[in-house]
Amino acid sequence: MAEVKNKQVVLKDYVTGFPKESDMDIVEGTISLKLPEGSNEVLLKNLYLSCDPYMRILMSKMEGPEGFRTYAPGSPLTGYGVAKVLESAHPDYKKGDLVWGFTKWEEYSLVPASLILFKIKHTDVPLSYYTGLLGMPGMTAYAGFFEVGLPKKGEKVFVSAASGAVGQLVGQFAKFTGCYVIGSAGSKDKVDLLKNKLGFDDAFNYKEEPDLNGALKRYFPEGIDIYFENVGGKTLDAVLLNMRVHGRIVVCGMVSQYNLAQHEGVTNLANLIFKRIRMQGFNVADYYQLYPKFLEYVVPKIKEGKIVYVEDIVEGLENAPPALVGLFSGRNVGKQVIVLARE
Amino acid sequence: MAEVKNKQVVLKDYVTGFPKESDMDIVEGTISLKLPEGSNEVLLKNLYLSCDPYMRILMSKMEGPEGFRTYAPGSPLTGYGVAKVLESAHPDYKKGDLVWGFTKWEEYSLVPASLILFKIKHTDVPLSYYTGLLGMPGMTAYAGFFEVGLPKKGEKVFVSAASGAVGQLVGQFAKFTGCYVIGSAGSKDKVDLLKNKLGFDDAFNYKEEPDLNGALKRYFPEGIDIYFENVGGKTLDAVLLNMRVHGRIVVCGMVSQYNLAQHEGVTNLANLIFKRIRMQGFNVADYYQLYPKFLEYVVPKIKEGKIVYVEDIVEGLENAPPALVGLFSGRNVGKQVIVLARE
Ligand SMILES: NC(=O)c1ccc[n+]([C@@H]2O[C@H](COP(=O)([O-])OP(=O)(O)OC[C@H]3O[C@@H](n4cnc5c(N)ncnc54)[C@H](OP(=O)(O)O)[C@@H]3O)[C@@H](O)[C@H]2O)c1
Ligand SMILES: NC(=O)c1ccc[n+]([C@@H]2O[C@H](COP(=O)([O-])OP(=O)(O)OC[C@H]3O[C@@H](n4cnc5c(N)ncnc54)[C@H](OP(=O)(O)O)[C@@H]3O)[C@@H](O)[C@H]2O)c1
């Protein structure tokens, strides 16, 4: 069998608190570039890997919340990526196909065909977009904003972690819908991006607003109709004070809480009653049947230059652990991607 | 003008912390039993007054949440009640009509016709029911459970403050819908009521369950589909750990929090994401257009003896302050009503 070297990012041990680079190891394994006898799997060459905040949750030792499977120490991380099919035992895929879906943090992966989400059809866009704009984060922004948020023209929208993989799209979708949209992010540069490149009506640096409630009152004197929740904790508590009657809180993520042993307490939930608010969590995986509709919405806008997408691309698997860890200090500017190979 | 004595319950001053009887005064005013010249109001003789937990919120000095108007010290409390029309300047009401809606805590009240919610048509049921089963709490249980909760046959339902005005009906509606329903309440007697009279599948005394999460795991080994939230705080936090995928939390009230200067922090909200939960606040006032439909649902069940309604009736305005205060220690068993006059 033709064995080749296969570099991997392996979880050393379960993580508590903030993840560190040293929680992961780069190890050199080997893999056969032939499908094992009787396999019904697909052999992938990984091109782009996606750094996603939820990966931190899988690094904890815990009974995973339903539907989640935590990582196993000693094994490579798993996650979303873009890959090329080298061999396939499954009729839906053939050698040379480009796909995006679940793969592993290594150069070559053998994965069940069921983990591949989609064959890539549009290749006249950067392939890396299938980890972001045209991949899971794009679908997350689309499903969360439209299907859960049910936005109406003229509504006031607030997005946290607004310059990130998901947030930057929510802001742009909000503008396409005729909403007024404000974003918060963790640095001056990100705020500039939001205002000058990503089309947000305004933006602020939450780290420079010790009084978040006051800041929101300034930016939303009439209150918030839709809050696209990416961070949780104190931000959510301040938002609850500033929601409008019949507002909606789209609970996409709570990245500020993932590293805490005990999550911060949210005290203003009685506003859900006073203001008849719908606060709804969702998982993008429940909406993948909308992917074709999403592409119809978004691909023409990309071609016409109406959508901007900011990526933060690092080269090589060695740089994957710091890139992943960097999500939790806001080191990434835009969608955090790792390139392993360009084709 | 024919002036008569008019006993009133007056708020002495804004309340902080738990309300006390001494926060209210019984004062003797006078009122003319003729409508003032040019009035377009309705003169009511109050028969039954309703004690409702939300009244505590209006006793605080604060900018009322939108749509709420706090009480004014020195003025009588306002609230829901059943009354007889003595005189009316409004074409919809005439002398002798029985009505339910907003009135004041006094013997006779002059109220704008717009505050009266409904003329009472079915009088072959106890009139006091129009403060409970056939009034605002009944509509609250109906709208909250059916319109917000969207229950399906076979689903598992948890109700807190389950023996109260609203909770006891939610449990019965859940059984009519073919759900499995468990209630929590604050005493052995209430638990017995729930199990033996109100048709709950099971019930427990939350005061004897220091580990609420453990208790819920025992009662709902497969998790909760619908939580009808009446109390908030620690109960909500434990429920969040025990919700099922695609569960719904109907946020009706948070009575355990109304007396706290700072509400307790709820830490398990990330479960909204993991389990794709919809948590939705509502106000019964948004659903009164369904009142006729509600009567169609509920009146035949009353006549056939299929609905039980537990009331806690005290006599006389003097007993109104302790009755109201008693809601916050769970002194009431069932719907707390005050009778001023029976006709
Ligand atoms: N429900 C779903 O199906 C689904 C799918 C995908 C993603 N998500 C969630 O969506 C959210 C955004 O994901 P993404 O991929 O777009 O990530 P991202 O925004 O590209 O990266 C994470 C960003 O979060 C911010 N952040 C980190 N720690 C923070 C803290 N303590 N307080 C406030 N902000 C903090 C940082 O930006 P700053 O510099 O601005 O702080 C960082 O850049 C995450 O919560 C993620 O879990 C949910
Ligand atoms: N959204 C709306 O439109 C709407 C309309 C009506 C009512 N509500 C809300 O619905 C809830 C129930 O109202 P209700 O009229 O049916 O009142 P109720 O249950 O008849 O009376 C209040 C009950 O709350 C329980 N309670 C008091 N303090 C508590 C605490 N610290 N922890 C746990 N339970 C406590 C007590 O029962 P135990 O002995 O069991 O502790 C007490 O009997 C309230 O939160 C109310 O504000 C909302």
Side-chain angles (χ1 to χ4, degrees):
Chain A
M1 276 204 276
E3 294 254 324
V4 299
K5 290 194 174 155
N6 191 22
K7 233 184 296 174
Q8 303 183 313
V9 177
V10 159
L11 184 68
K12 277 205 264 186
D13 200 353
Y14 292 115
V15 175
T16 52
F18 278 72
K20 303 177 299 296
E21 257 188 81
S22 59
D23 291 324
M24 292 160 267
D25 251 345
I26 309 283
V27 303
E28 205 160 276
T30 58
I31 190 169
S32 157
L33 291 189
K34 284 226 131 345
L35 279 177
E37 199 83 19
S39 154
N40 53 8
E41 292 171 306
V42 180
L43 183 69
L44 298 176
K45 177 180 181 193
N46 294 312
L47 306 179
Y48 296 89
L49 295 178
S50 174
C51 289
D52 289 293
Y54 80 87
M55 298 173 74
R56 168 63 189 85
I57 302 174
L58 306 190
M59 291 178 155
S60 295
K61 179 169 191 157
M62 56 161 184
E63 265 181 78
E66 251 164 294
F68 287 75
R69 193 62 164 300
T70 59
Y71 294 141
S75 295
L77 305 190
T78 60
Y80 284 91
V82 174
K84 195 160 83 179
V85 175
L86 296 185
E87 290 223 341
S88 168
H90 192 281
D92 288 357
Y93 304 96
K94 60 173 204 311
K95 187 174 166 155
D97 280 350
L98 291 166
V99 297
W100 73 269
F102 276 103
T103 184
K104 298 184 204 163
W105 279 35
E106 56 189 359
E107 291 169 286
Y108 302 95
S109 298
L110 203 57
V111 303
S114 61
L115 290 183
I116 295 172
L117 290 168
F118 296 98
K119 266 211 273 208
I120 290 174
K121 289 180 188 141
H122 302 273
T123 51
D124 49 352
V125 295
L127 264 188
S128 56
Y129 276 13
Y130 289 94
T131 66
L133 168 51
L134 293 175
M136 183 278 277
M139 266 306 294
T140 301
Y142 181 77
F145 185 63
F146 291 111
E147 300 291 316
V148 184
L150 301 177
K152 288 191 284 288
K153 195 177 157 181
E155 287 191 319
K156 313 264 189 273
V157 177
F158 177 52
V159 188
S160 53
S163 71
V166 176
Q168 59 176 310
L169 291 173
V170 174
Q172 294 179 75
F173 294 167
K175 290 314 298 175
F176 295 139
T177 312
C179 296
Y180 176 82
V181 61
I182 304 271
S184 65
S187 74
K188 183 179 178 310
D189 287 354
K190 290 182 180 183
V191 167
D192 287 346
L193 256 185
L194 291 169
K195 292 204 279 197
N196 303 326
K197 186 162 176 191
L198 293 165
F200 283 66
D201 291 293
D202 213 334
F204 65 88
N205 179 350
Y206 67 91
K207 291 181 183 165
E208 293 187 345
E209 297 286 355
D211 173 14
L212 274 175
N213 176 27
L216 290 171
K217 289 220 167 359
R218 256 188 355 261
Y219 286 101
F220 294 97
E222 292 158 27
I224 299 167
D225 293 296
I226 299 183
Y227 172 45
F228 197 98
E229 165 68 304
N230 283 320
V231 304
K234 291 181 185 60
T235 305
L236 174 57
D237 229 359
V239 163
L240 282 162
L241 296 174
N242 288 282
M243 289 298 290
R244 262 175 131 161
V245 168
H246 295 303
R248 286 133 276 156
I249 299 180
V250 178
V251 192
C252 176
M254 297 194 170
V255 66
S256 77
Q257 307 295 298
Y258 300 165
N259 303 308
L260 309 180
Q262 168 80 351
H263 287 196
E264 292 173 289
V266 171
T267 61
N268 294 319
L269 289 167
N271 286 281
L272 297 181
I273 312 165
F274 306 145
K275 293 158 180 179
R276 312 109 194 242
I277 294 167
R278 174 165 58 85
M279 181 165 171
Q280 187 165 344
F282 74 103
N283 184 326
V284 61
D286 290 343
Y287 295 89
Y288 280 133
Q289 79 280 6
L290 298 180
Y291 189 65
K293 200 174 144 203
F294 166 64
L295 288 182
E296 271 173 42
Y297 177 80
V298 91
V299 171
K301 291 190 173 62
I302 299 174
K303 301 216 162 132
E304 293 162 27
K306 287 187 182 154
I307 287 191
V308 183
Y309 199 63
V310 180
E311 299 182 307
D312 190 332
I313 301 191
V314 303
E315 301 271 340
L317 209 59
E318 292 76 10
N319 288 313
L324 179 57
V325 166
L327 294 177
F328 302 97
S329 59
R331 207 182 86 163
N332 64 308
V333 179
K335 171 64 203 172
Q336 184 67 64
V337 188
I338 299 148
V339 203
L340 301 192
R342 288 198 155 73
E343 57 174 351
Chain B
M1 277 207 274
E3 296 254 321
V4 297
K5 288 191 175 157
N6 190 24
K7 234 185 291 173
Q8 304 182 313
V9 177
V10 159
L11 183 68
K12 277 206 262 187
D13 200 355
Y14 291 115
V15 174
T16 52
F18 278 71
K20 303 176 298 298
E21 258 189 80
S22 60
D23 290 324
M24 292 160 265
D25 251 344
I26 309 284
V27 303
E28 205 159 279
T30 58
I31 189 170
S32 158
L33 291 189
K34 284 226 131 345
L35 278 176
E37 198 82 21
S39 154
N40 54 9
E41 292 169 306
V42 180
L43 184 69
L44 299 176
K45 179 181 179 191
N46 294 312
L47 305 179
Y48 296 89
L49 295 177
S50 173
C51 288
D52 290 292
Y54 80 88
M55 297 173 74
R56 168 62 189 86
I57 302 174
L58 307 190
M59 291 178 155
S60 295
K61 178 168 190 157
M62 57 161 184
E63 265 182 78
E66 250 163 294
F68 286 75
R69 193 66 160 299
T70 59
Y71 295 141
S75 295
L77 305 190
T78 60
Y80 283 90
V82 174
K84 194 159 84 180
V85 175
L86 297 184
E87 290 223 340
S88 167
H90 192 282
D92 288 355
Y93 305 97
K94 61 173 202 310
K95 188 173 164 156
D97 280 351
L98 291 166
V99 296
W100 73 268
F102 277 104
T103 183
K104 297 183 205 164
W105 279 35
E106 56 189 0
E107 292 169 287
Y108 301 96
S109 297
L110 202 58
V111 304
S114 62
L115 291 183
I116 295 172
L117 290 167
F118 295 98
K119 268 210 273 208
I120 290 174
K121 289 181 188 139
H122 302 272
T123 52
D124 49 353
V125 294
L127 263 188
S128 56
Y129 276 13
Y130 289 93
T131 66
L133 169 52
L134 293 174
M136 183 277 279
M139 267 305 297
T140 301
Y142 181 77
F145 185 63
F146 291 110
E147 300 290 318
V148 184
L150 302 177
K152 287 191 283 288
K153 196 177 156 180
E155 287 192 319
K156 312 261 190 275
V157 178
F158 177 53
V159 188
S160 53
S163 71
V166 175
Q168 60 176 309
L169 291 173
V170 174
Q172 295 180 74
F173 295 167
K175 290 314 298 174
F176 295 139
T177 311
C179 297
Y180 176 81
V181 61
I182 305 271
S184 65
S187 74
K188 183 179 177 314
D189 288 352
K190 290 182 179 182
V191 167
D192 288 345
L193 255 184
L194 291 169
K195 293 205 278 198
N196 303 325
K197 186 161 177 190
L198 293 165
F200 283 67
D201 291 292
D202 212 335
F204 65 87
N205 179 350
Y206 67 91
K207 290 180 182 164
E208 294 187 344
E209 297 287 355
D211 173 14
L212 274 174
N213 176 27
L216 290 171
K217 290 219 165 2
R218 256 188 356 261
Y219 287 101
F220 295 96
E222 293 158 26
I224 300 167
D225 293 296
I226 299 183
Y227 172 45
F228 198 98
E229 164 68 303
N230 283 321
V231 305
K234 291 182 187 57
T235 306
L236 174 58
D237 230 358
V239 164
L240 282 162
L241 295 174
N242 289 282
M243 290 297 292
R244 262 175 132 161
V245 168
H246 295 304
R248 287 132 275 155
I249 299 180
V250 179
V251 192
C252 175
M254 298 195 170
V255 65
S256 77
Q257 308 295 299
Y258 300 164
N259 303 308
L260 308 179
Q262 170 80 354
H263 287 196
E264 290 173 291
V266 172
T267 60
N268 295 318
L269 289 167
N271 286 280
L272 296 181
I273 312 165
F274 306 145
K275 294 161 181 173
R276 311 110 195 239
I277 294 166
R278 174 165 59 85
M279 181 168 172
Q280 187 164 344
F282 75 103
N283 184 327
V284 60
D286 290 343
Y287 295 89
Y288 280 132
Q289 78 281 4
L290 299 179
Y291 189 64
K293 201 175 145 202
F294 166 65
L295 288 182
E296 271 173 43
Y297 177 79
V298 91
V299 171
K301 294 192 171 60
I302 298 174
K303 300 216 162 133
E304 294 161 26
K306 287 187 182 153
I307 287 191
V308 183
Y309 200 63
V310 179
E311 300 182 306
D312 190 333
I313 301 191
V314 302
E315 302 270 339
L317 210 58
E318 292 76 9
N319 288 314
L324 179 57
V325 165
L327 294 177
F328 301 97
S329 59
R331 208 182 86 162
N332 63 308
V333 179
K335 171 63 201 173
Q336 185 65 63
V337 188
I338 298 147
V339 203
L340 302 191
R342 287 198 155 74
E343 58 175 349

